[in-house]
């Protein structure tokens, strides 16, 4: 019996995170937007407290302020709030102070700090696969301004490495290269939807030493027709996968065809993915064919790997965007002031990434678990003081 209990304990133990890594080290790069005269609360303390609050499920600025107000003195001191030299009590900021700070924060630098923190704690030694996708924060729409759109890059472990806000009256295309400029792409594989199947993007990625897997749709008619008209029926199957979940049965088949030359920068192979999907409730069968190009040479990755990377691209939707919408109710949020929608999204990305690193698959359950003990969010952030 004792042997079985030992095995159960090992199975339920969360995977170890990188030692001696705490959020404070990365927040040092974030500039303080406040006037240095009369500052009462350190920037790192305020940002760490906001991060800890979101780790416990705080969905709004009001909830963040309440978490900080209710935190015990030892937790506040560990977060970096200085005690009163006369009474020994630890004063806490008014919720309005936290709101004004987050509204004025440099979003690019804060996202870089969060992404670097998550990346440092991720497993090393494997090829990085990075999915790029955008999301509109619908609740940020005002009468005079469209909803804030955020373009993010996520690795295969569910960590948002970097995020960038799309300029008003623009789209995701001009933000693609600036988004990836701040992270190491050497040897990585970048996946993106058809919007980013652009010649300039392909040249940029190859110039940075990265590979790409890009979806080709009829918005590139010449390239699409050339790939679609290949003799796919005569090409052997590279990979097949069958799954049954969510009341449907799916079969995904992958074929690859090598090219000596194709009218797309750096492209070495064309791919065809055929998805057979049967709804087990209604009995309806749908068949979808998707064509892609990749700069990976034949034999550089197996069919199973390429298929998993293509399917994994939608992880940025399921692991990040869907969780922010359903668990954190992001689209219902009415936060619209200055850069607050983006900063709140960054805090949610941090919380989701950390919970996945600690082995949690159900983020809602992870938030409830973390909220039951003030030590848990601090431990997740690497704060042990």
């Amino acid at each position: 019996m004792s042997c079985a209990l030992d095995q159960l304990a090992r199975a339920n133990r969360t995977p170890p995170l990188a030692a001696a890594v705490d959020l404070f080290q990365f927040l040092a790069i974030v500039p303080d937007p406040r006037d240095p005269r009369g500052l009462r609360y350190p920037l790192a303390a305020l940002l760490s407290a906001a991060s800890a609050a979101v780790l416990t499920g705080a969905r709004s600025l009001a909830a963040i302020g309440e978490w900080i107000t209710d935190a015990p003195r030892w937790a506040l001191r560990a977060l970096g709030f200085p005690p009163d030299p006369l009474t020994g009590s630890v004063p806490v900021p008014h919720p309005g102070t936290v709101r004004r700070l987050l509204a004025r924060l440099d979003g690019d630098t804060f996202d870089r700090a969060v992404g670097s923190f998550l990346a440092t704690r991720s497993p090393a030694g494997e090829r990085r696969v990075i999915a790029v996708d955008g999301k509109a924060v619908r609740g940020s729409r005002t009468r005079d301004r469209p909803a804030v759109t955020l373009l993010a890059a996520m690795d295969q472990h569910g960590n948002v490495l970097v995020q960038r806000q799309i300029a008003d009256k623009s789209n995701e295309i001009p933000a693609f290269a600036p988004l990836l400029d701040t992270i190491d792409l050497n040897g990585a594989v970048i996946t993106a939807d058809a919007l980013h199947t652009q010649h300039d993007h392909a040249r940029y990625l190859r110039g940075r030493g990265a590979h790409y897997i890009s979806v080709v749709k009829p918005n590139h008619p010449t390239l699409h027709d050339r790939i679609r008209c290949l003799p796919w029926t005569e090409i052997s199957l590279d990979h097949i996968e069958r799954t049954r979940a969510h009341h449907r049965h799916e079969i995904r088949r992958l074929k690859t065809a090598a090219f000596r030359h194709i009218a797309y920068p750096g492209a070495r192979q064309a791919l065809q993915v055929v998805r057979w999907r049967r709804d087990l409730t209604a009995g309806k069968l749908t068949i979808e064919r998707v064509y892609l190009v990749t700069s990976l040479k034949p034999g550089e990755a197996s069919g199973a790997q390429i298929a998993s990377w293509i399917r994994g691209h939608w992880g940025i939707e399921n692991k990040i965007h869907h969780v922010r919408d359903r668990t954190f109710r992001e689209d219902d949020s009415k936060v619209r002031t200055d850069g607050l929608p983006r900063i709140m999204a960054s805090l949610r990305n941090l919380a989701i990434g950390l919970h996945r690193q600690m082995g949690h698959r159900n983020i809602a359950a992870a938030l409830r678990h973390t909220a039951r003990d003030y030590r848990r969010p601090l431990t997740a952030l690497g704060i042990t003081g």
Side-chain angles (χ1 to χ4, degrees), residues 223-288:
L223 181 62
H224 180 264
D225 289 345
R226 185 176 182 190
I227 295 175
R228 181 179 59 84
C229 294
L230 289 173
W232 291 108
T233 56
E234 302 172 16
I235 297 174
S236 60
L237 191 66
D238 278 299
H239 180 70
I240 185 169
E241 182 180 9
R242 295 178 174 86
T243 58
R244 183 170 177 166
H246 306 295
H247 304 287
R248 63 176 180 250
H249 182 210
E250 290 189 11
I251 301 176
R252 288 175 291 275
R253 299 157 56 93
L254 171 71
K255 293 183 177 182
T256 64
F259 267 97
R260 287 188 177 180
H261 174 72
I262 189 171
Y264 195 75
R268 301 301 299 271
Q269 295 185 87
L271 314 174
Q272 183 199 59
V273 176
V274 181
R275 302 187 184 116
W276 299 63
R277 181 178 299 165
R278 183 181 295 279
D279 188 312
L280 299 179
T281 303
K284 181 180 179 181
L285 175 66
T286 58
I287 303 174
E288 179 186 15

Side-chain angles (χ1 to χ4, degrees), residues 67 72 74-75 370 372-381 383-384:
W67 187 91
W74 65 264
T370 308
R372 292 195 289 268
D373 188 338
Y374 273 92
R375 291 178 178 82
R376 289 171 181 168
L378 271 61
T379 301
L381 295 171
I383 301 171
T384 57

Side-chain angles (χ1 to χ4, degrees), residues 176 194 347:
F176 183 85
L347 292 170

Side-chain angles (χ1 to χ4, degrees), residues 317-364:
E317 177 66 34
N318 297 327
K319 292 181 179 179
I320 300 295
H321 298 164
H322 181 75
V323 175
R324 279 174 23 196
D325 280 343
R326 298 299 297 271
T327 303
F328 286 101
R329 312 300 298 178
E330 181 172 87
D331 281 349
D332 294 336
S333 173
K334 301 305 179 184
V335 173
R336 302 185 179 99
T337 306
D338 299 324
L340 280 173
R342 178 194 184 160
I343 297 300
M344 291 298 294
S346 302
L347 292 170
R348 292 165 188 143
N349 290 340
L350 172 62
I352 295 167
L354 285 177
H355 283 313
R356 293 202 188 281
Q357 287 181 352
M358 291 185 291
H360 298 289
R361 299 185 64 183
N362 186 322
I363 300 301

Side-chain angles (χ1 to χ4, degrees), residues 126-255:
E126 58 182 4
R127 185 195 284 270
R128 283 206 302 174
V129 183
I130 301 173
V132 176
D133 195 24
K135 179 185 183 298
V137 184
R138 293 184 177 87
S140 63
R141 182 183 294 109
T142 67
R143 181 178 300 177
D144 304 321
R145 189 182 68 181
V148 170
T149 300
L150 302 172
L151 186 65
M154 184 198 78
D155 69 13
Q156 66 266 44
H157 303 293
N159 301 312
V160 175
L161 304 176
V162 66
Q163 182 175 257
R164 188 176 184 87
Q165 184 168 332
I166 305 302
D168 292 343
K169 299 182 180 179
S170 184
N171 57 48
E172 298 177 18
I173 294 175
F176 183 85
L179 173 79
L180 299 174
D181 276 341
T182 58
I183 57 178
D184 179 19
L185 297 182
N186 191 41
V189 176
I190 311 300
T191 64
D193 58 26
L195 178 67
H196 295 290
T197 304
Q198 305 287 335
H199 285 62
D200 288 344
H201 292 1
R203 280 189 285 266
Y204 168 79
L205 293 174
R206 296 304 294 136
R208 294 284 310 278
H211 288 287
Y212 59 80
I213 300 177
S214 300
V215 178
V216 179
K217 290 189 175 180
N219 59 328
H220 292 80
T222 302
L223 181 62
H224 180 264
D225 289 345
R226 185 176 182 190
I227 295 175
R228 181 179 59 84
C229 294
L230 289 173
W232 291 108
T233 56
E234 302 172 16
I235 297 174
S236 60
L237 191 66
D238 278 299
H239 180 70
I240 185 169
E241 182 180 9
R242 295 178 174 86
T243 58
R244 183 170 177 166
H246 306 295
H247 304 287
R248 63 176 180 250
H249 182 210
E250 290 189 11
I251 301 176
R252 288 175 291 275
R253 299 157 56 93
L254 171 71
K255 293 183 177 182

